[in-house]
């Protein structure tokens, strides 16, 4: 009979501690990504059987989790990538994933999916915003719940979030360092807490550089519509020298509208956005933006849900994921200073 491979066997092969092997296989903090990948590769080569697989072979049912989001959220490519990362992470731990979208009627009537209402799942991951009341209804079931890219003071649940304030701060700081002080803001801050936080990061950067924000250039209720954005630009009495946009869709509309009115990007005006999505990459010129590690979202969401299963009485956690500024051709030094 073949001897079962243990964590100690893997540790001996790699000349590291058993604890490091355990941390790597369970995707916990304490080891580098390089070591984590090496341990997992070695475990696979040696035929190590993960605990989830052993439990399944003994007849213990796998953990079941639900992933839900609004119809609109599931239609967006940005969240589609997060959904795929959640799916991959759940499958890697032998979990079964139930996926369902929530339409407006279900949201308004607080109708939960049957597998949540009947408590047929062990955990719930909510992708982006549905409504505070709807998410509260999920939390009331007592099923451990993790929010992804959304939080609210009245929702008692763990959450994985982007550090929106710092990301926006760094983006606006980049514009300020290029000697722009007339910087416009565009984004509907009431649509999402993420946009509100990016607005706060914008204001904080201006404050730290001693720049007073101009309300004429602050479009805090902006719809993501090209006609609306073009109207804002056309009606301005004086044009700002730079624009900070809360997402790449708005950045794309701002950039194309500015050029339609005869302004050169970036010689006359700079444009910076957020998310590093496809629109920022296909725009002409390509748009400077803030990158978010979407794969990390799924990984941390599943990790946080597994941690909550083991620590049901611990205080709720909010995990902040860092961002990175991607400098492209849409930003340049202010020529009008």
């Amino acid at each position: 009979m073949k001897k079962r491979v243990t964590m100690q066997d893997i540790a001996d092969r790699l000349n590291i501690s058993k604890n490091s092997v355990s941390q790597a296989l369970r995707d916990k903090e304490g080891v580098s990504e390089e070591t984590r990948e090496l341990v997992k590769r070695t475990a696979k080569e040696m035929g190590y059987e993960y605990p989830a697989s052993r439990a399944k072979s003994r007849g213990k049912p796998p953990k079941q989790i639900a992933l839900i989001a609004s119809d609109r959220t599931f239609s967006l490519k940005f969240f589609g990538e997060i959904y795929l990362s959640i799916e991959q992470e759940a499958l890697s731990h032998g979990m079964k994933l139930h996926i369902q979208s929530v339409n407006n009627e279900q949201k308004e009537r607080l109708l939960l999916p049957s597998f949540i209402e009947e408590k047929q799942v062990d955990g719930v991951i909510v992708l982006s915003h549905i409504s505070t009341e709807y998410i509260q209804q999920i939390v009331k079931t007592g099923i451990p719940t993790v929010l992804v890219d959304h939080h609210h003071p009245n929702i008692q649940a763990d959450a994985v979030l982007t550090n929106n304030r710092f990301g926006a701060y760094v983006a606006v700081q980049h514009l300020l360092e290029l000697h722009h002080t007339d910087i416009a803001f565009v984004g509907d801050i009431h649509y999402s807490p993420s946009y509100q936080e990016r607005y706060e990061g914008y204001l904080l950067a201006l404050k730290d550089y001693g720049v007073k924000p101009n309300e004429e250039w602050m479009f805090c209720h902006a719809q993501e519509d090209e006609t609306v954005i073009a109207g804002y630009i056309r009606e301005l009495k004086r044009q700002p020298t730079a624009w900070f946009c809360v997402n790449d869709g708005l950045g794309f509309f701002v950039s194309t509208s500015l050029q339609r009115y005869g302004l050169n990007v970036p010689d006359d005006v700079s444009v910076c956005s957020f998310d590093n999505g496809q629109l920022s990459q296909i725009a002409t010129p390509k748009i400077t933006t803030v990158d978010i590690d979407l794969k990390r979202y799924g990984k941390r969401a599943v990790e946080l849900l597994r941690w909550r299963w083991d620590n049901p009485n611990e205080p709720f956690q909010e995990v902040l994921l860092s961002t990175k500024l991607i400098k492209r051709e849409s930003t340049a030094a202010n020529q009008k200073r």
Side-chain angles (χ1 to χ4, degrees):
M1 183 177 178
K2 186 177 178 182
K3 178 178 176 292
R4 181 167 64 86
V5 177
T6 66
M7 288 189 188
Q8 187 61 57
D9 295 329
I10 300 170
D12 293 341
R13 167 77 69 88
L14 298 176
N15 197 26
I16 60 176
S17 70
K18 179 181 176 182
N19 184 55
S20 293
V21 172
S22 176
Q23 289 173 319
L25 292 177
R26 288 174 170 78
D27 289 317
K28 293 187 176 181
E29 303 294 336
V31 295
S32 67
E33 283 301 316
E34 184 180 0
T35 299
R36 193 186 312 280
E37 292 305 317
L38 177 60
V39 168
K40 289 185 176 182
R41 188 166 61 250
T42 303
K44 185 176 181 180
E45 292 172 355
M46 296 178 68
Y48 176 76
E49 196 175 2
Y50 285 79
S53 301
R54 292 201 298 269
K56 188 174 181 180
S57 66
R58 291 195 300 267
K60 184 178 179 181
K63 290 282 190 181
Q64 302 201 41
I65 61 175
L67 173 63
I68 65 170
S70 68
D71 288 341
R72 183 175 187 276
T73 294
F74 271 133
S75 72
L76 299 174
K77 185 176 185 296
F78 175 86
F79 291 108
E81 292 188 36
I82 297 177
Y83 146 64
L84 288 175
S85 69
I86 291 172
E87 182 181 50
Q88 291 168 2
E89 190 66 18
L91 291 175
S92 74
H93 292 288
M95 301 175 185
K96 184 175 181 181
L97 188 64
H98 300 260
I99 303 167
Q100 184 164 325
S101 61
V102 177
N103 60 35
N104 282 329
E105 181 185 1
Q106 292 166 328
K107 179 183 74 172
E108 295 302 324
R109 295 176 58 191
L110 302 181
L111 299 175
L112 302 182
S114 59
F115 48 73
I116 295 178
E117 189 74 57
E118 297 169 11
K119 298 185 180 181
Q120 296 173 350
V121 292
D122 302 291
V124 179
I125 296 177
V126 181
L127 188 55
S128 190
H129 182 54
I130 301 175
S131 77
T132 298
E133 295 75 21
Y134 192 90
I135 298 173
Q136 286 175 328
Q137 197 73 5
I138 295 171
V139 172
K140 285 178 183 177
T141 66
I143 302 172
T145 301
V146 172
L147 310 184
V148 172
D149 197 41
H150 182 70
H151 62 160
H152 189 279
N154 293 332
I155 299 176
Q156 299 298 302
D158 299 307
V160 181
L161 309 161
T162 298
N163 197 334
N164 290 294
R165 290 185 187 87
F166 284 14
Y169 182 102
V170 170
V172 177
Q173 181 181 50
H174 169 61
L175 297 173
L176 290 161
E177 293 288 342
L178 291 172
H179 307 292
H180 294 281
T181 53
D182 297 341
I183 304 173
F185 172 90
V186 60
D188 185 355
I189 63 175
H190 302 290
Y191 175 75
S192 164
S194 295
Y195 294 170
Q196 170 67 36
E197 291 158 10
R198 292 171 192 181
Y199 175 61
E200 292 168 4
Y202 159 83
L203 292 177
L204 182 58
L206 294 184
K207 176 178 176 291
D208 283 355
Y209 278 75
V211 176
K212 185 177 179 180
N214 186 334
E215 290 190 8
E216 182 186 0
W217 298 328
M218 296 164 65
F219 303 98
C220 299
H221 305 278
Q223 299 175 42
E224 199 166 329
D225 181 284
E226 187 172 16
T227 303
V228 171
I229 301 304
Y232 290 155
I233 295 171
R234 183 180 61 250
E235 294 168 10
L236 283 174
K237 295 177 181 178
R238 185 166 70 91
Q239 292 290 332
T241 65
W243 289 73
F244 172 65
C245 313
V246 298
N247 64 33
D248 291 328
L250 288 166
F252 184 86
F253 291 150
V254 166
S255 181
T256 54
S257 297
L258 288 167
Q259 293 175 74
R260 187 178 301 120
Y261 290 125
L263 294 168
N264 181 279
V265 178
D267 292 344
D268 297 324
V269 58
S270 289
V271 178
C272 184
S273 60
F274 209 110
D275 290 339
N276 192 27
Q278 187 177 18
L279 287 175
S280 70
Q281 299 169 41
I282 66 172
T284 304
K286 294 181 180 180
I287 298 173
T288 295
T289 187
V290 178
D291 181 56
I292 301 171
D293 188 345
L294 300 182
K295 291 183 179 179
R296 195 68 182 164
Y297 253 122
K299 186 178 183 64
R300 294 298 284 126
V302 174
E303 283 178 354
L304 191 53
L305 190 56
R306 295 175 69 213
W307 176 85
R308 176 55 62 191
W309 289 332
D310 294 334
N311 302 275
N313 299 317
E314 289 294 316
F316 295 112
Q317 291 192 4
E318 290 193 342
V319 176
L320 280 181
L321 302 182
S322 61
T323 59
K324 180 182 179 182
L325 181 67
I326 307 294
K327 298 178 184 179
R328 297 196 178 112
E329 295 83 14
S330 68
T331 51
N334 180 12
Q335 302 297 322
K336 301 176 183 178
R337 63 191 178 94

